[in-house]
């Protein structure tokens, strides 16, 4: 009997040992990047704590599995409260955090997981975490799809992650990786477009897997001075650093694809590490097995990597990169009696490839100053062929290539006890090549340089009154324009729970698509104004909102038609190519955003917001008309419940409901379309037609469990689980010989299995 008791005791001890994991925190000063020693890291609702060493490293061992909050305090710095953390058996939590100096020990900042606001933006910013990407419904592990849960962001089509931010055209948003601008980092950039042509900023899914992502900031207006050449928004992404102490791996399979990830030490003594991820589309695998998708074959694959090399005296070096290719091939049924639309006239081949490779270097050259330098080269190619089965229709061939060489060098630190300085230069070289549509041997190209020195001064310590003052001096060689752009952010804490915020920025943006070939071409410019508030209802709940106004000017428009680049470029390339820029023609976007957030606590979370807005352009008749992307309202409700069955075992049920005002369209001239056998729009009238409101409910159910040596997650996402029919656009169908509606996706289930070990 005593031997049985001993065996049971050993099993109990072993089981207990397997229900804990480590938490590792790396702390730096937000301005100087100096390590913060002596900081206390406390796991709330436990007796576990750790102290940061002279390198700013703190480790807490044997932390029970499950959901946790972490509190970090240090004399002279703002307290940090980290929420929505999840600790599983297979992986340590490793957080790289920055703390802000403060003269008030009771000040605190609530951040989620590993994503503090590292851009110092005061308004119009949302942080994105890997944990959110895994928890929110129907993200398909794509950070761009997560932002549709935020205020002011409208999805342009269910099939893609293109976003219209506060009524701006999707093209005027920007993707950044490790501090430099990159080309469109998405597979299948033609997904969901009514011209079936590639877009500049969206696609079916992001090439960079969420497995690789570190902290991410999503900005929607009045950007700080380090951001340039954008009007609508910035998706600012960074890689996370691989674990330099132990090896960790992830395998994931679902209807979106097969995902394999690995990380670990290269040299434990020196602290170097690697991180990589490979992914192949599941539809591609099924296609290789001979399964048919109604004549359509969709494939993609991608690879991403990050190697991190800290040194004793030369700083830290990072070599990073990613690349991928995708294709969408459509072959109609050979029997014409099965044809259903104009698409069946075509054999369509779409191919795309994209890649980035870069080098990042961080070094402290004194106790007060840090230098960060990044050099990256990104490029893409898109090719679309449409072979007509009916000789009455012409062959369509389009080609697009783009390359950005980006360089960034930034010095940050403390001028004195009152002022912190961040200054540097961003340099981008843009190269673009296109062919004239329907002509395979007529190409044109153009390139240009943007040099953007900037400076920004902030208060060195967090006080009741905080500010962010900057200047940017962008120079565009393509249009030979130089501007002085001021940036300003202000925040005043009326009480410990209520804060008022305001910001202003003057911004410019130079298009890189076919319209930019119509030189001389001045950058579009905009004044951004934001006024907001934030009210902390409780430790886990807050209300926040903003009133925004954008005054856009220098926008190319038609001299006799209701055309403007603010309506997008997708179907207006030819018409706008001969139009001159007119400083007197402008646009304006204005509205209000209201938000309620409940951080995940006691198994419940919520993110509820509404946006009321208008986006307008000034036409040749000196009157304002609403743009294509002026949907007037955006309402999002994301709520979820998580049940903890035992340490490391969770069941979650989350839903998101989106209700958006429909986008606007030009009238289709049916008689002219019949003659041309293609869609002809009436640009002699403004966008008088408006799509019905868009409504889509999504659902996510997941089950997480930590076993002895691995953790697993089984989930199912159901996009549009009620099968709502949402109109995407209308077009003239030459096969049906009538104006035909094109609907967005119906119900899409997505099953996924994930194992971490």
């Amino acid at each position: 009997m005593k031997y049985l008791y001993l065996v049971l005791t050993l099993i109990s001890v072993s089981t207990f040992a397997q229900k804990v994991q480590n938490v590792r925190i790396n702390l730096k000063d937000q301005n100087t990047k100096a390590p913060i020693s002596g900081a206390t890291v406390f796991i709330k609702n436990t007796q576990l704590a750790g102290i940061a060493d002279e390198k700013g490293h703190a480790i807490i061992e044997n932390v029970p599995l499950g959901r946790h909050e972490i509190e970090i305090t240090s004399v002279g710095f703002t307290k940090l409260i980290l929420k929505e953390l999840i600790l599983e058996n297979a992986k340590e939590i490793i957080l790289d955090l920055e703390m802000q100096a403060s003269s008030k020990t009771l000040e605190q900042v609530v951040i989620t997981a590993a994503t503090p606001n590292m851009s110092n933006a005061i308004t119009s910013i949302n942080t994105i975490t890997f944990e959110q990407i895994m928890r929110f419904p129907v993200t398909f592990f794509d950070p761009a799809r997560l932002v549709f849960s935020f205020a002011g962001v409208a999805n342009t089509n269910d099939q893609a992650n293109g976003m219209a931010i506060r009524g701006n055209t999707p093209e005027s948003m920007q993707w950044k990786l490790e501090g430099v601008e990159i080309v469109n980092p998405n597979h299948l950039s033609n997904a969901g477009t009514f011209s079936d042509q590639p877009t500049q900023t969206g696609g079916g899914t992001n090439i960079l897997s969420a497995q690789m992502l570190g902290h991410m900031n999503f900005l929607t207006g009045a950007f700080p001075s380090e951001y340039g050449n954008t009007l609508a928004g910035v998706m600012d992404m960074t890689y996370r650093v691989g674990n330099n102490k132990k090896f960790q791996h992830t395998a994931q399979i679902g209807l979106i694809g097969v995902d394999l990830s690995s990380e670990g030490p290269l040299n434990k003594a020196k602290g170097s590490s690697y991180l990589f991820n490979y992914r192949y589309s599941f539809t591609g695998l099924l296609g290789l097995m001979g399964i048919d998708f109604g004549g359509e074959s969709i494939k993609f694959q991608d690879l991403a990597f990050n190697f991190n090399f800290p040194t004793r005296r030369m700083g830290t070096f990072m070599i990073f990169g990613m690349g991928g290719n995708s294709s969408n091939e459509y072959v109609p049924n050979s029997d014409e009696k099965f044809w259903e639309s104009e698409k069946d006239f075509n054999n369509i081949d779409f191919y795309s490839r994209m890649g980035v490779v870069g080098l990042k270097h961080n070094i402290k050259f004194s106790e007060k100053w840090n230098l960060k330098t990044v050099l990256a080269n990104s490029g893409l190619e898109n090719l679309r062929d449409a072979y007509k089965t009916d000789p009455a229709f012409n062959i369509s061939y389009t080609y697009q290539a783009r390359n950005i060489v980006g360089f960034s060098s930034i010095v940050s630190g403390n001028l004195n006890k009152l002022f912190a300085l961040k200054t540097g230069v961003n340099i981008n070289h843009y190269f673009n090549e296109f062919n004239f549509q329907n002509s395979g041997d007529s190409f044109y190209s153009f390139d240009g340089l943007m040099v953007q020195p900037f400076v920004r001064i902030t208060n060195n310590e967090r006080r009741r009154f905080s500010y962010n003052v900057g200047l940017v001096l962008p120079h565009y060689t393509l249009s030979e324009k130089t501007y002085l752009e001021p940036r300003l952010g202000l925040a005043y804490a009326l009480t410990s729970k209520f804060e008022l915020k305001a910001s202003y920025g003057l911004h410019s943006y130079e298009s890189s698509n076919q319209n930019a070939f119509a030189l001389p071409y001045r950058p579009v410019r905009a004044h951004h104004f934001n006024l907001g508030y934030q009210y902390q209802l409780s430790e886990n709940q807050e209300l926040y909102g903003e009133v925004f106004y954008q005054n856009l000017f220098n926008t190319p428009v038609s001299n006799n038609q209701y055309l403007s680049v603010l309506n997008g470029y997708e179907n207006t390339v030819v018409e706008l190519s001969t139009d001159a820029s007119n400083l007197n023609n402008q646009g304006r976007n204005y509205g209000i955003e209201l938000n309620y957030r409940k951080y995940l606590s006691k198994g419940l979370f919520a993110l509820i917001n509404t946006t009321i807005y208008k986006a307008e352009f000034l036409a040749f008749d000196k009157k304002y008309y609403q743009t294509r992307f002026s949907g007037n309202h955006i309402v999002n409700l994301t709520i979820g419940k998580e049940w903890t069955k035992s340490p490391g075992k969770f069941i979650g049920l989350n839903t998101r409901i989106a209700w958006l005002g429909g986008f606007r369209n030009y009238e289709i001239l049916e008689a002219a379309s019949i003659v041309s056998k293609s869609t002809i729009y009436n640009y002699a009238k403004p966008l008088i037609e408006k799509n019905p409101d868009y409504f889509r409910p999504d659902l996510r159910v997941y089950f997480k469990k930590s076993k002895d040596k691995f953790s697993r997650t089984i989930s199912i996402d159901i996009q549009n689980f009620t099968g709502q029919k949402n109109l995407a656009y209308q077009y003239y169908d030459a096969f049906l010989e009538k104006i035909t509606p094109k609907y967005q996706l119906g119900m899409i289930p997505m099953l996924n299995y994930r194992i971490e070990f």
Side-chain angles (χ1 to χ4, degrees):
M1 186 68 182
K2 64 179 181 179
Y3 294 108
L4 178 59
Y5 177 79
L6 178 61
V7 170
L8 292 175
T9 300
L10 291 174
I11 293 175
S12 175
V13 171
S14 175
T15 302
F16 175 78
Q18 293 157 0
K19 297 299 183 182
V20 296
Q21 187 52 275
N22 301 330
V23 174
R24 294 165 53 195
I25 307 288
N26 305 316
L27 295 172
K28 293 181 180 180
D29 185 294
Q30 189 178 56
N31 297 324
T32 68
K33 313 304 178 185
I36 300 175
S37 61
T40 300
V41 180
F42 175 64
I43 309 294
K44 300 185 71 173
N45 300 318
T46 74
Q47 299 299 315
L48 300 173
I51 304 295
D53 61 19
E54 70 278 0
K55 295 182 179 180
H57 300 163
I59 182 169
I60 306 175
E61 298 178 330
N62 299 322
V63 180
L65 304 184
R67 292 283 180 184
H68 290 290
E69 292 186 14
I70 296 178
E71 180 178 289
I72 304 174
T73 58
S74 182
V75 176
F77 289 91
T78 300
K79 181 193 298 183
L80 293 183
I81 306 291
L82 289 83
K83 296 181 177 293
E84 300 184 340
L85 295 166
I86 183 169
L87 186 62
E88 299 181 83
N89 192 46
K91 286 192 175 183
E92 297 177 326
I93 288 180
I94 304 175
L95 303 178
D96 295 307
L97 302 173
E98 296 179 356
M99 299 183 73
Q100 185 176 10
S102 175
S103 58
K104 297 182 179 181
T105 58
L106 295 180
E107 291 278 3
Q108 69 179 37
V109 175
V110 176
I111 61 177
T112 58
T115 318
N117 172 8
M118 293 186 179
S119 74
N120 283 112
I122 288 179
T123 66
S124 304
I125 183 169
N126 286 280
T127 58
I128 300 173
T129 72
F130 173 75
E131 189 277 336
Q132 290 173 327
I133 296 171
M134 297 298 293
R135 174 162 47 92
F136 276 46
V138 191
T139 65
F140 301 145
F141 317 113
D142 181 349
R145 291 183 183 269
L146 175 66
V147 305
F148 301 139
S149 298
F150 298 152
V153 187
N155 185 199
T156 56
N157 192 283
D158 283 345
Q159 296 183 42
N161 57 21
M163 60 189 79
I165 302 168
R166 292 178 171 177
N168 286 285
T169 171
E171 190 200 51
S172 58
M173 70 86 62
Q174 182 184 97
W175 290 89
K176 298 193 78 170
L177 180 63
E178 292 295 343
V180 296
E181 182 180 353
I182 61 173
V183 299
N184 184 7
N186 289 293
H187 288 300
L188 303 167
S189 57
N190 67 328
T193 63
F194 53 76
S195 64
D196 199 36
Q197 299 297 323
T199 61
Q200 295 285 318
T201 59
T205 188
N206 200 290
I207 292 176
L208 187 60
S209 171
Q211 313 262 72
M212 303 290 294
L213 291 170
H215 72 264
M216 290 168 283
N217 287 320
F218 177 63
L219 301 97
T220 57
F223 317 111
S225 56
E226 60 263 44
Y227 298 100
N229 197 33
T230 181
L231 296 180
V234 181
M235 180 68 82
D236 193 359
M237 307 183 296
T238 64
Y239 281 96
R240 67 182 179 89
V241 176
N243 194 320
N244 60 4
K245 300 294 184 182
K246 60 188 294 188
F247 293 98
Q248 299 178 159
H249 316 286
T250 301
Q252 182 171 277
I253 185 168
L255 295 183
I256 198 171
V258 176
D259 216 328
L260 303 174
S261 179
S262 179
E263 62 184 291
L266 292 172
N267 187 315
K268 290 185 178 181
K270 295 182 178 181
S272 58
S273 64
Y274 76 90
L275 171 66
F276 83 87
N277 188 90
Y278 174 75
R279 181 172 54 174
Y280 191 88
S281 63
F282 196 58
T283 52
L285 290 177
L286 294 177
L288 292 175
M289 292 187 289
I291 298 176
D292 181 62
F293 291 91
E296 195 150 6
S297 173
I298 300 174
K299 301 176 184 178
F300 66 82
Q301 63 178 329
D302 50 60
L303 174 70
F305 61 87
N306 177 25
F307 298 98
N308 195 64
F309 302 95
T311 66
R312 288 185 178 181
R313 297 181 180 179
M314 299 295 293
T316 300
F317 294 86
M318 176 190 291
I319 301 172
F320 63 91
M322 67 173 178
N325 57 62
S326 58
S327 65
N328 186 346
E329 301 175 359
Y330 177 76
V331 179
N333 195 301
S334 58
D335 191 341
E336 295 186 15
K337 70 180 180 181
F338 293 105
W339 288 7
E340 297 178 346
S341 68
E342 179 184 309
K343 184 177 181 179
D344 292 319
F345 286 144
N346 303 280
N347 290 266
I348 302 173
D349 298 334
F350 178 83
Y351 302 100
S352 179
R353 60 180 180 176
M354 178 269 176
V356 182
V357 63
L359 174 66
K360 176 182 176 181
H361 179 234
N362 252 311
I363 186 170
K364 281 194 61 60
F365 54 86
S366 74
E367 291 184 1
K368 294 184 177 181
W369 297 99
N370 183 81
L371 173 65
K372 183 183 76 170
T373 304
V374 183
L375 176 65
N377 184 24
S378 63
L380 64 80
E381 276 190 320
N382 295 314
L383 174 64
R384 181 184 182 274
D385 270 325
Y387 306 97
K388 305 293 183 177
T389 58
D390 188 329
F393 295 88
N394 296 323
I395 295 176
S396 175
Y397 171 86
T398 55
Y399 173 82
Q400 176 194 84
R402 191 177 190 217
N403 179 267
I404 301 177
V405 178
F407 173 81
S408 173
S409 185
I410 298 174
V411 175
S412 61
N414 294 331
L415 288 172
N416 51 43
K417 292 183 178 181
L418 296 178
F419 304 113
L421 175 70
K422 187 173 186 179
T423 186
V425 62
N426 295 309
I427 303 174
N428 292 330
H429 179 266
Y430 304 96
F431 173 80
N432 301 275
E433 185 176 20
F434 306 92
N435 77 308
F436 290 99
Q437 194 170 354
N438 300 329
S439 177
D441 56 359
S442 183
F443 293 84
Y444 62 95
S445 64
F446 58 93
D447 65 340
L449 195 69
M450 186 194 76
V451 181
Q452 179 190 285
F454 73 92
V455 62
R456 190 188 73 197
I457 294 178
T458 60
N459 51 312
N460 191 21
E461 294 185 346
R462 181 177 173 83
R463 298 175 181 269
R464 174 166 288 188
F465 176 68
S466 301
Y467 55 85
N468 179 337
V469 182
L471 284 174
V472 194
L473 192 71
H475 172 69
Y476 299 90
T477 63
L478 183 63
S479 53
E480 298 182 345
K481 296 295 180 182
T482 303
Y483 303 111
L484 181 64
E485 300 178 350
R487 310 289 172 86
L488 175 66
L490 304 171
Y492 185 77
L494 293 174
T495 69
S496 60
K497 294 186 176 182
F498 187 78
E499 189 173 38
L500 291 176
K501 303 178 179 182
S503 62
Y504 164 75
L506 176 58
H507 305 278
S508 55
Y509 165 71
E510 189 172 67
S511 173
S512 60
N513 71 359
Q514 288 95 324
N515 288 284
F517 188 63
L519 302 175
Y521 186 80
R522 299 183 181 93
V524 178
R525 307 189 71 198
H527 296 282
H528 286 206
F529 301 89
N530 293 319
L531 179 63
Y533 76 96
Q534 186 168 359
Y535 178 58
Q536 201 75 29
L537 292 171
S538 67
E539 184 178 314
N540 294 304
Q541 299 180 83
E542 62 182 1
L543 295 172
Y544 56 100
E546 285 185 16
V547 176
F548 64 88
Y549 180 83
Q550 298 177 357
N551 182 354
L552 298 102
F553 59 100
N554 213 31
T555 60
V557 296
S558 173
N559 293 321
N560 54 17
Q561 293 180 310
Y562 293 91
L563 290 168
S564 168
V565 296
L566 304 182
N567 291 318
Y569 301 86
E570 195 175 328
N571 64 339
T572 58
V573 171
V574 176
E575 289 79 3
L576 279 179
S577 63
T578 57
D579 293 333
S581 177
N582 188 332
L583 288 174
N584 297 320
N585 288 279
Q586 307 178 66
R588 59 189 185 192
N589 304 332
Y590 53 94
I592 183 172
E593 299 171 352
L594 300 173
N595 301 263
Y596 165 78
R597 183 198 299 271
K598 182 186 184 303
Y599 293 103
L600 180 57
S601 62
K602 297 181 179 179
L604 292 171
F605 78 92
L607 179 60
I608 302 170
N609 54 66
T610 184
T611 305
I612 308 298
Y613 72 104
K614 272 190 177 182
E616 300 175 322
F617 71 99
L618 187 67
F620 66 93
D621 60 3
K622 308 304 179 185
K623 295 181 180 179
Y624 280 103
Y625 299 92
Q626 295 194 61
T627 71
R628 179 189 170 203
F629 303 103
S630 185
N632 300 143
H633 70 264
I634 302 170
V635 178
N636 290 304
L637 186 151
T638 306
I639 57 175
K641 171 64 177 174
E642 188 174 83
W643 293 269
T644 302
K645 297 300 182 181
S646 61
K649 186 176 180 181
F650 308 93
I651 297 175
L653 176 62
N654 307 328
T655 186
R656 172 181 176 255
I657 298 174
W659 174 37
L660 286 67
F663 288 159
R664 297 170 188 274
N665 304 299
Y666 290 102
E667 177 188 37
I668 296 176
L669 296 174
E670 188 168 8
S673 299
I674 292 174
V675 173
S676 67
K677 295 186 178 180
S678 63
T679 306
I680 303 298
Y681 294 97
N682 183 9
Y683 300 123
K685 292 183 179 180
L687 293 90
I688 58 176
E689 298 184 358
K690 188 176 186 298
N691 286 351
D693 282 2
Y694 172 101
F695 180 82
R696 196 185 88 189
D698 300 329
L699 188 68
R700 176 172 174 80
V701 181
Y702 60 89
F703 172 77
K704 287 176 172 285
K705 187 174 182 179
S706 288
K707 302 290 285 186
D708 293 348
K709 296 183 179 181
F710 64 91
S711 300
R712 66 181 181 183
T713 304
I714 302 172
S715 63
I716 182 168
D717 290 87
I718 305 178
Q719 178 175 293
N720 193 3
F721 66 81
T722 61
Q724 183 77 18
K725 292 185 69 174
N726 293 304
L727 181 66
Y729 55 85
Q730 295 191 87
Y731 71 103
Y732 175 78
D733 192 293
F735 176 75
L736 301 176
E737 297 183 336
K738 65 179 180 178
I739 296 174
T740 304
K742 177 67 174 180
Y743 291 98
Q744 303 209 47
L745 296 177
M747 185 175 69
I748 304 293
M750 189 70 66
L751 183 65
N752 196 77
Y753 179 80
R754 175 185 177 87
I755 183 170
E756 299 170 279
F757 55 98

